[in-house]
PDB file of all heavy atoms in Angstrom:
ATOM      1  N   GLY A  63     -19.898  24.895 -50.886  1.00  0.00           N
ATOM      2  CA  GLY A  63     -20.945  24.559 -49.927  1.00  0.00           C
ATOM      3  C   GLY A  63     -22.342  24.865 -50.434  1.00  0.00           C
ATOM      4  O   GLY A  63     -23.231  25.212 -49.655  1.00  0.00           O
ATOM      5  N   SER A  65     -25.454  23.710 -53.669  1.00  0.00           N
ATOM      6  CA  SER A  65     -25.884  22.644 -54.564  1.00  0.00           C
ATOM      7  C   SER A  65     -25.422  22.949 -55.986  1.00  0.00           C
ATOM      8  O   SER A  65     -25.132  24.103 -56.319  1.00  0.00           O
ATOM      9  CB  SER A  65     -27.409  22.521 -54.538  1.00  0.00           C
ATOM     10  OG  SER A  65     -27.995  23.694 -55.077  1.00  0.00           O
ATOM     11  N   THR A 103     -33.548  21.642 -57.082  1.00  0.00           N
ATOM     12  CA  THR A 103     -32.997  21.634 -55.738  1.00  0.00           C
ATOM     13  C   THR A 103     -33.959  22.380 -54.835  1.00  0.00           C
ATOM     14  O   THR A 103     -34.415  23.466 -55.180  1.00  0.00           O
ATOM     15  CB  THR A 103     -31.606  22.304 -55.697  1.00  0.00           C
ATOM     16  OG1 THR A 103     -30.740  21.599 -56.584  1.00  0.00           O
ATOM     17  CG2 THR A 103     -31.022  22.279 -54.294  1.00  0.00           C
ATOM     18  N   THR A 104     -34.269  21.767 -53.696  1.00  0.00           N
ATOM     19  CA  THR A 104     -35.154  22.436 -52.753  1.00  0.00           C
ATOM     20  C   THR A 104     -34.423  23.595 -52.107  1.00  0.00           C
ATOM     21  O   THR A 104     -33.196  23.626 -52.049  1.00  0.00           O
ATOM     22  CB  THR A 104     -35.643  21.476 -51.661  1.00  0.00           C
ATOM     23  OG1 THR A 104     -34.518  21.003 -50.913  1.00  0.00           O
ATOM     24  CG2 THR A 104     -36.399  20.295 -52.256  1.00  0.00           C
ATOM     25  N   GLN A 105     -35.184  24.558 -51.614  1.00  0.00           N
ATOM     26  CA  GLN A 105     -34.616  25.715 -50.932  1.00  0.00           C
ATOM     27  C   GLN A 105     -34.540  25.423 -49.437  1.00  0.00           C
ATOM     28  O   GLN A 105     -35.124  24.469 -48.964  1.00  0.00           O
ATOM     29  CB  GLN A 105     -35.490  26.955 -51.182  1.00  0.00           C
ATOM     30  CG  GLN A 105     -35.619  27.324 -52.656  1.00  0.00           C
ATOM     31  CD  GLN A 105     -34.293  27.673 -53.277  1.00  0.00           C
ATOM     32  OE1 GLN A 105     -33.544  28.487 -52.753  1.00  0.00           O
ATOM     33  NE2 GLN A 105     -33.970  27.073 -54.408  1.00  0.00           N
ATOM     34  N   GLY A 106     -33.839  26.258 -48.707  1.00  0.00           N
ATOM     35  CA  GLY A 106     -33.777  26.124 -47.261  1.00  0.00           C
ATOM     36  C   GLY A 106     -32.372  25.891 -46.774  1.00  0.00           C
ATOM     37  O   GLY A 106     -31.418  25.836 -47.560  1.00  0.00           O
ATOM     38  N   PRO A 107     -32.231  25.728 -45.456  1.00  0.00           N
ATOM     39  CA  PRO A 107     -30.899  25.614 -44.870  1.00  0.00           C
ATOM     40  C   PRO A 107     -30.163  24.328 -45.238  1.00  0.00           C
ATOM     41  O   PRO A 107     -28.949  24.291 -45.227  1.00  0.00           O
ATOM     42  CB  PRO A 107     -31.160  25.687 -43.366  1.00  0.00           C
ATOM     43  CG  PRO A 107     -32.596  25.361 -43.192  1.00  0.00           C
ATOM     44  CD  PRO A 107     -33.287  25.748 -44.463  1.00  0.00           C
ATOM     45  N   ALA A 108     -30.890  23.250 -45.568  1.00  0.00           N
ATOM     46  CA  ALA A 108     -30.270  21.981 -45.957  1.00  0.00           C
ATOM     47  C   ALA A 108     -30.924  21.516 -47.256  1.00  0.00           C
ATOM     48  O   ALA A 108     -31.827  20.680 -47.249  1.00  0.00           O
ATOM     49  CB  ALA A 108     -30.430  20.944 -44.852  1.00  0.00           C
ATOM     50  N   PRO A 109     -30.484  22.050 -48.404  1.00  0.00           N
ATOM     51  CA  PRO A 109     -31.133  21.740 -49.682  1.00  0.00           C
ATOM     52  C   PRO A 109     -31.008  20.270 -50.065  1.00  0.00           C
ATOM     53  O   PRO A 109     -30.092  19.570 -49.636  1.00  0.00           O
ATOM     54  CB  PRO A 109     -30.383  22.608 -50.686  1.00  0.00           C
ATOM     55  CG  PRO A 109     -29.549  23.540 -49.910  1.00  0.00           C
ATOM     56  CD  PRO A 109     -29.379  22.972 -48.547  1.00  0.00           C
ATOM     57  N   VAL A 110     -31.941  19.827 -50.912  1.00  0.00           N
ATOM     58  CA  VAL A 110     -31.921  18.476 -51.466  1.00  0.00           C
ATOM     59  C   VAL A 110     -31.971  18.612 -52.981  1.00  0.00           C
ATOM     60  O   VAL A 110     -32.856  19.273 -53.524  1.00  0.00           O
ATOM     61  CB  VAL A 110     -33.118  17.631 -50.974  1.00  0.00           C
ATOM     62  CG1 VAL A 110     -33.116  16.256 -51.636  1.00  0.00           C
ATOM     63  CG2 VAL A 110     -33.104  17.501 -49.457  1.00  0.00           C
ATOM     64  N   GLU A 111     -31.003  17.992 -53.661  1.00  0.00           N
ATOM     65  CA  GLU A 111     -31.009  17.939 -55.119  1.00  0.00           C
ATOM     66  C   GLU A 111     -31.795  16.696 -55.538  1.00  0.00           C
ATOM     67  O   GLU A 111     -31.633  15.631 -54.940  1.00  0.00           O
ATOM     68  CB  GLU A 111     -29.596  17.823 -55.677  1.00  0.00           C
ATOM     69  CG  GLU A 111     -28.722  19.020 -55.412  1.00  0.00           C
ATOM     70  CD  GLU A 111     -27.296  18.833 -55.924  1.00  0.00           C
ATOM     71  OE1 GLU A 111     -26.905  17.689 -56.274  1.00  0.00           O
ATOM     72  OE2 GLU A 111     -26.563  19.834 -55.975  1.00  0.00           O
ATOM     73  N   GLY A 131     -20.930  15.194 -44.626  1.00  0.00           N
ATOM     74  CA  GLY A 131     -22.326  15.396 -44.265  1.00  0.00           C
ATOM     75  C   GLY A 131     -23.312  15.194 -45.398  1.00  0.00           C
ATOM     76  O   GLY A 131     -24.517  15.196 -45.171  1.00  0.00           O
ATOM     77  N   VAL A 184     -29.626  14.065 -53.407  1.00  0.00           N
ATOM     78  CA  VAL A 184     -28.390  14.453 -52.724  1.00  0.00           C
ATOM     79  C   VAL A 184     -28.810  15.410 -51.624  1.00  0.00           C
ATOM     80  O   VAL A 184     -29.281  16.516 -51.895  1.00  0.00           O
ATOM     81  CB  VAL A 184     -27.385  15.119 -53.694  1.00  0.00           C
ATOM     82  CG1 VAL A 184     -26.114  15.525 -52.945  1.00  0.00           C
ATOM     83  CG2 VAL A 184     -27.069  14.203 -54.865  1.00  0.00           C
ATOM     84  N   HIS A 185     -28.668  14.968 -50.373  1.00  0.00           N
ATOM     85  CA  HIS A 185     -29.058  15.762 -49.208  1.00  0.00           C
ATOM     86  C   HIS A 185     -27.825  16.499 -48.712  1.00  0.00           C
ATOM     87  O   HIS A 185     -26.884  15.882 -48.194  1.00  0.00           O
ATOM     88  CB  HIS A 185     -29.626  14.858 -48.109  1.00  0.00           C
ATOM     89  CG  HIS A 185     -30.799  14.060 -48.596  1.00  0.00           C
ATOM     90  ND1 HIS A 185     -32.077  14.403 -48.272  1.00  0.00           N
ATOM     91  CD2 HIS A 185     -30.881  12.983 -49.410  1.00  0.00           C
ATOM     92  CE1 HIS A 185     -32.916  13.554 -48.846  1.00  0.00           C
ATOM     93  NE2 HIS A 185     -32.216  12.684 -49.547  1.00  0.00           N
ATOM     94  N   LEU A 186     -27.826  17.815 -48.890  1.00  0.00           N
ATOM     95  CA  LEU A 186     -26.680  18.637 -48.521  1.00  0.00           C
ATOM     96  C   LEU A 186     -26.783  19.064 -47.058  1.00  0.00           C
ATOM     97  O   LEU A 186     -27.882  19.309 -46.557  1.00  0.00           O
ATOM     98  CB  LEU A 186     -26.619  19.875 -49.427  1.00  0.00           C
ATOM     99  CG  LEU A 186     -26.543  19.540 -50.927  1.00  0.00           C
ATOM    100  CD1 LEU A 186     -26.832  20.768 -51.762  1.00  0.00           C
ATOM    101  CD2 LEU A 186     -25.186  18.968 -51.265  1.00  0.00           C
ATOM    102  N   PRO A 187     -25.661  19.168 -46.378  1.00  0.00           N
ATOM    103  CA  PRO A 187     -25.706  19.627 -44.985  1.00  0.00           C
ATOM    104  C   PRO A 187     -26.068  21.103 -44.928  1.00  0.00           C
ATOM    105  O   PRO A 187     -25.917  21.829 -45.920  1.00  0.00           O
ATOM    106  CB  PRO A 187     -24.276  19.384 -44.485  1.00  0.00           C
ATOM    107  CG  PRO A 187     -23.433  19.389 -45.713  1.00  0.00           C
ATOM    108  CD  PRO A 187     -24.306  18.898 -46.838  1.00  0.00           C
ATOM    109  N   PRO A 188     -26.569  21.557 -43.778  1.00  0.00           N
ATOM    110  CA  PRO A 188     -26.884  22.979 -43.656  1.00  0.00           C
ATOM    111  C   PRO A 188     -25.662  23.826 -43.969  1.00  0.00           C
ATOM    112  O   PRO A 188     -24.537  23.479 -43.622  1.00  0.00           O
ATOM    113  CB  PRO A 188     -27.296  23.141 -42.187  1.00  0.00           C
ATOM    114  CG  PRO A 188     -27.724  21.774 -41.771  1.00  0.00           C
ATOM    115  CD  PRO A 188     -26.853  20.821 -42.561  1.00  0.00           C
ATOM    116  N   GLY A 189     -25.900  24.959 -44.643  1.00  0.00           N
ATOM    117  CA  GLY A 189     -24.814  25.874 -44.992  1.00  0.00           C
ATOM    118  C   GLY A 189     -24.364  26.673 -43.789  1.00  0.00           C
ATOM    119  O   GLY A 189     -24.984  26.627 -42.723  1.00  0.00           O
ATOM    120  N   SER A 192     -26.638  28.487 -40.963  1.00  0.00           N
ATOM    121  CA  SER A 192     -27.982  27.936 -40.922  1.00  0.00           C
ATOM    122  C   SER A 192     -28.251  27.334 -39.556  1.00  0.00           C
ATOM    123  O   SER A 192     -27.343  26.791 -38.931  1.00  0.00           O
ATOM    124  CB  SER A 192     -28.132  26.833 -41.976  1.00  0.00           C
ATOM    125  OG  SER A 192     -27.970  27.359 -43.259  1.00  0.00           O
ATOM    126  N   PRO A 193     -29.514  27.370 -39.107  1.00  0.00           N
ATOM    127  CA  PRO A 193     -29.820  26.731 -37.837  1.00  0.00           C
ATOM    128  C   PRO A 193     -29.658  25.230 -37.959  1.00  0.00           C
ATOM    129  O   PRO A 193     -29.979  24.648 -38.990  1.00  0.00           O
ATOM    130  CB  PRO A 193     -31.283  27.108 -37.572  1.00  0.00           C
ATOM    131  CG  PRO A 193     -31.819  27.580 -38.877  1.00  0.00           C
ATOM    132  CD  PRO A 193     -30.653  28.000 -39.716  1.00  0.00           C
ATOM    133  N   SER A 194     -29.142  24.582 -36.941  1.00  0.00           N
ATOM    134  CA  SER A 194     -28.917  23.135 -36.999  1.00  0.00           C
ATOM    135  C   SER A 194     -30.182  22.371 -36.682  1.00  0.00           C
ATOM    136  O   SER A 194     -30.986  22.737 -35.936  1.00  0.00           O
ATOM    137  CB  SER A 194     -27.843  22.723 -36.000  1.00  0.00           C
ATOM    138  OG  SER A 194     -26.643  23.351 -36.336  1.00  0.00           O
TER     139      SER A 194
END
Side-chain angles (χ1 to χ4, degrees):
S65 66
T103 301
T104 62
Q105 300 298 309
V110 177
E111 295 177 347
V184 179
H185 303 257
L186 303 166
S192 297
S194 298

